[in-house]
Amino acid sequence: MEDKTFTVSEINKYINRILKGDPNLKNIQIKGEISNYKTFPSGHSYFTLKDETSQIPAVFFKFNKDRFLDFEPENGMKVIIKGKIEVYENDGKYQLYVTKIQKDGIGDLFARFEQLKKDLDKEGLFKDTHKKEIPKYPQRIGVVTAQTGAAIRDIITTIKRRYPICEILVFSTLVQGSQAAPQIVRQIKHAQEFNIDTLIVGRGGGSIEDLWPFNEEIVAREIYACKIPVISAVGHEIDFTIADFVADKRAATPTAAAELAVPSIQEVKNNVDQLSNRINKSIEDKLLENKTKLEYISQKNVLKNPETIYEIKGMRLDSLISRLDFSSKNIISQNRTRLFKLENSIVLKKPEEIIKAKREAYLKNFNKLEVLNPLLTLKRGYTMAKSGDKVISSAKDVKVGDEIDIEFNDGTVNTRVI
Amino acid sequence: MENLSFEESLEKLEEIVNKLENGDVPLDDAIEEFKKAMDLVKICNDKLNDAEESIAKIVKDNGEIVEFNSSQ
């Protein structure tokens, strides 16, 4: 074989046969970082998989991409690739034929999630005080999600069933892959121009990579800045994304988001009916109350027999008159009594008696006087000597020769003292 | 009053009901409020019974709004 001369094709084919014969290389798993990723019009993609010191060319055929790829590979992305290694004989190089690409570094994603959550929390983006209230009776609901898929269907079905008088505006966006976050941000901005009451932002369930756009900082900040109340609806019950923390309300699923966004129309109708009943009852009560009051008042004697008003007034007048009468009569009678007393006084009625009494008194006094009358003494034989008119009561009052009168009971004798 | 939103109408209605139930409202005022309340009930019911079923629409990037069709 030492003298055999190979053509280039032959040697490449030979090497290829050796590689293909190695079972390890037939089904191999390699991890590395994507670089120089390029997709050609054929749909095939070519890139280089590398680590710090080494690299290997890789090809990803459209056929495999369509079947196994659920995200868009990017340069710098850490991946785990399944495939085989063969020689591309035309170029004389061995390369990795990719059948499936998986993102590596899920641990890194968790770390990023935790870090961002911590940072935004510290910044205050999750604060309850910033959360807006979800309108109770929205007229227009906006939904930022993929226009195909279960999420939008669930939301529309639920809203139509619960609250069919509400309008739904869909703002379609990619919900996974590297282009999703900027599109979600753009559609949240766009939705704010349409007079929407509540905005639902979300998607159905998926892997952590699938949900990743809802963990992106730009999405979180856009939800925070949104003027419309936002309900997040990402994935399933157990999935929590940054969007959930920053949204005004978190719904576990898209269906739950729709239930939070609109009331049940039946409940609202019942509520209105109840209010209507209450208002009817209260006005009936009010009327009844007033009617009862009116009846009570109209039962009162005054209204039933208005003349009693006059009767009462009349009675009062009578009473006043009678009092007036009484007191005037009293005055008159008092005066009359006085007059009567005066009229009946003895002075006026029998003046002669007074005269008689006076006379008797006089005579009594007179008799007393008579006892003292000297003339009466003379009668009993005594005489009285007088000088002129003066009674001589002492012998010393006369001298010899004095002319004196001696008065007797029955006359006077002029004599001279000897 | 016609221009009130559904929520405003309902709130106003609740307010009147509470006022009439709790407050010592004179009869004339109560009747006035009652009339208002019945108008509000009608407005609310009209809005709730709006025959038109909600339509889901999709807003295109250029702002054009077209009927939503999930098979799109």
Side-chain angles (χ1 to χ4, degrees), chain A residues 232-248:
Chain A
S232 70
V234 184
H236 298 309
E237 316 261 342
I238 50 159
D239 303 319
F240 263 91
T241 61
I242 300 290
D244 290 326
F245 293 113
V246 78
D248 296 300

Side-chain angles (χ1 to χ4, degrees), chain A residues 307-343:
Chain A
E307 62 275 10
T308 52
I309 291 178
Y310 297 101
E311 279 169 8
I312 290 166
K313 300 275 182 203
M315 272 159 68
R316 180 154 168 73
L317 184 61
D318 288 350
S319 146
L320 282 171
I321 288 171
S322 83
R323 275 166 62 194
L324 183 63
D325 195 38
F326 175 77
S327 54
S328 60
K329 272 186 184 147
N330 213 17
I331 291 168
I332 291 168
S333 105
Q334 273 173 8
N335 282 300
R336 183 170 290 157
T337 311
R338 212 167 139 207
L339 181 61
F340 178 79
K341 272 187 189 160
L342 286 171
E343 277 173 353

Side-chain angles (χ1 to χ4, degrees), chain A residues 85-136:
Chain A
I85 290 175
E86 290 178 6
V87 173
Y88 180 50
E89 292 170 19
N90 296 19
D91 287 353
K93 63 177 186 186
Y94 67 90
Q95 59 182 12
L96 175 60
Y97 290 83
V98 178
T99 49
K100 192 174 181 184
I101 302 182
Q102 255 185 321
K103 283 187 194 169
D104 192 12
I106 285 181
D108 289 353
L109 284 182
F110 276 118
R112 267 166 71 193
F113 174 86
E114 287 302 330
Q115 188 59 48
L116 183 60
K117 188 180 151 198
K118 212 168 115 191
D119 291 348
L120 296 182
D121 191 16
K122 210 167 155 192
E123 211 184 304
L125 266 69
F126 305 158
K127 272 191 181 162
D128 282 347
T129 50
H130 184 264
K131 306 243 182 259
K132 290 182 276 294
E133 200 142 323
I134 308 299
K136 274 190 192 159

Side-chain angles (χ1 to χ4, degrees), chain A residues 62-236:
Chain A
K62 186 172 185 296
F63 170 75
N64 282 326
K65 275 167 72 183
D66 288 348
R67 281 201 302 174
F68 297 117
L69 191 66
D70 57 2
F71 67 97
E72 196 61 23
E74 280 177 76
N75 290 332
M77 202 175 255
K78 290 190 166 105
V79 291
I80 297 171
I81 291 174
K82 275 186 177 170
K84 59 183 179 183
I85 290 175
E86 290 178 6
V87 173
Y88 180 50
E89 292 170 19
N90 296 19
D91 287 353
K93 63 177 186 186
Y94 67 90
Q95 59 182 12
L96 175 60
Y97 290 83
V98 178
T99 49
K100 192 174 181 184
I101 302 182
Q102 255 185 321
K103 283 187 194 169
D104 192 12
I106 285 181
D108 289 353
L109 284 182
F110 276 118
R112 267 166 71 193
F113 174 86
E114 287 302 330
Q115 188 59 48
L116 183 60
K117 188 180 151 198
K118 212 168 115 191
D119 291 348
L120 296 182
D121 191 16
K122 210 167 155 192
E123 211 184 304
L125 266 69
F126 305 158
K127 272 191 181 162
D128 282 347
T129 50
H130 184 264
K131 306 243 182 259
K132 290 182 276 294
E133 200 142 323
I134 308 299
K136 274 190 192 159
Y137 310 103
Q139 290 173 291
R140 193 180 256 187
I141 298 280
V143 187
V144 173
T145 191
Q147 75 180 82
T148 55
I152 189 61
R153 249 191 354 257
D154 290 349
I155 289 171
I156 290 173
T157 308
T158 307
I159 290 178
K160 279 192 173 179
R161 171 171 55 78
R162 275 173 70 84
Y163 202 62
I165 59 174
C166 175
E167 191 184 5
I168 305 162
L169 288 190
V170 180
F171 297 84
S172 188
T173 174
L174 287 175
V175 290
Q176 62 191 57
S178 60
Q179 291 311 301
Q183 271 195 32
I184 292 167
V185 167
R186 207 175 61 231
Q187 290 293 47
I188 292 174
K189 276 193 216 291
H190 197 197
Q192 291 176 66
E193 298 165 15
F194 288 85
N195 201 18
I196 281 165
D197 295 304
T198 305
L199 191 62
I200 298 173
V201 177
R203 56 156 290 154
S207 66
I208 182 169
E209 296 92 342
D210 293 343
L211 306 186
W212 196 255
F214 295 90
N215 286 323
E216 294 281 2
E217 189 173 347
I218 52 167
V219 172
R221 291 199 181 279
E222 195 57 41
I223 290 174
Y224 182 77
C226 184
K227 304 265 189 299
I228 309 166
V230 173
I231 301 177
S232 70
V234 184
H236 298 309

Side-chain angles (χ1 to χ4, degrees), chain B residues 21-57:
Chain B
E21 280 181 345
N22 304 329
D24 194 12
V25 187
L27 184 62
D28 283 353
D29 295 354
I31 289 171
E32 216 34 59
E33 295 288 302
F34 173 74
K35 284 185 196 158
K36 247 190 255 171
M38 288 332 275
D39 287 347
L40 288 167
V41 168
K42 189 176 178 308
I43 290 170
C44 288
N45 277 329
D46 285 352
K47 289 192 176 175
L48 287 175
N49 294 325
D50 199 344
E52 249 177 90
E53 168 131 320
S54 69
I55 303 165
K57 294 168 187 162

Side-chain angles (χ1 to χ4, degrees), chain A residues 196-409:
Chain A
I196 281 165
D197 295 304
T198 305
L199 191 62
I200 298 173
V201 177
R203 56 156 290 154
S207 66
I208 182 169
E209 296 92 342
D210 293 343
L211 306 186
W212 196 255
F214 295 90
N215 286 323
E216 294 281 2
E217 189 173 347
I218 52 167
V219 172
R221 291 199 181 279
E222 195 57 41
I223 290 174
Y224 182 77
C226 184
K227 304 265 189 299
I228 309 166
V230 173
I231 301 177
S232 70
V234 184
H236 298 309
E237 316 261 342
I238 50 159
D239 303 319
F240 263 91
T241 61
I242 300 290
D244 290 326
F245 293 113
V246 78
D248 296 300
K249 199 120 196 168
R250 183 240 173 191
T253 63
T255 301
E259 281 168 354
L260 282 175
V262 294
S264 145
I265 197 162
Q266 202 46 57
E267 277 169 31
V268 179
K269 279 181 180 171
N270 290 347
N271 188 19
V272 172
D273 285 351
Q274 261 176 33
L275 285 171
S276 174
N277 289 341
R278 276 167 66 192
I279 195 90
N280 273 300
K281 170 135 180 33
S282 77
I283 199 75
E284 273 166 22
D285 287 354
K286 192 95 202 166
L287 286 170
L288 188 65
E289 179 196 318
N290 278 276
K291 201 176 154 206
T292 313
K293 238 188 233 171
L294 181 63
E295 273 167 7
Y296 172 74
I297 291 170
S298 59
Q299 285 307 309
K300 289 209 168 183
N301 216 17
V302 176
L303 291 181
K304 228 174 165 185
N305 305 309
E307 62 275 10
T308 52
I309 291 178
Y310 297 101
E311 279 169 8
I312 290 166
K313 300 275 182 203
M315 272 159 68
R316 180 154 168 73
L317 184 61
D318 288 350
S319 146
L320 282 171
I321 288 171
S322 83
R323 275 166 62 194
L324 183 63
D325 195 38
F326 175 77
S327 54
S328 60
K329 272 186 184 147
N330 213 17
I331 291 168
I332 291 168
S333 105
Q334 273 173 8
N335 282 300
R336 183 170 290 157
T337 311
R338 212 167 139 207
L339 181 61
F340 178 79
K341 272 187 189 160
L342 286 171
E343 277 173 353
N344 287 291
S345 67
I346 296 171
V347 180
L348 292 179
K349 212 162 184 192
K350 294 184 173 166
E352 63 275 16
E353 280 189 15
I354 288 178
I355 291 167
K356 190 182 162 197
K358 294 279 179 192
R359 179 180 287 156
E360 277 168 2
Y362 165 75
L363 285 176
K364 214 170 164 186
N365 286 331
F366 184 80
N367 287 337
K368 268 187 201 165
L369 279 174
E370 219 163 20
V371 173
L372 297 172
N373 191 349
L375 295 177
L376 289 175
T377 310
L378 294 183
K379 262 187 192 171
R380 292 202 303 270
Y382 294 92
T383 59
M384 185 167 58
K386 288 171 82 174
S387 172
D389 288 336
K390 270 178 94 174
V391 174
I392 302 164
S393 56
S394 170
K396 286 167 190 169
D397 289 344
V398 291
K399 317 179 288 284
V400 178
D402 280 355
E403 210 171 290
I404 59 168
D405 295 320
I406 296 166
E407 207 165 307
F408 291 88
N409 180 37

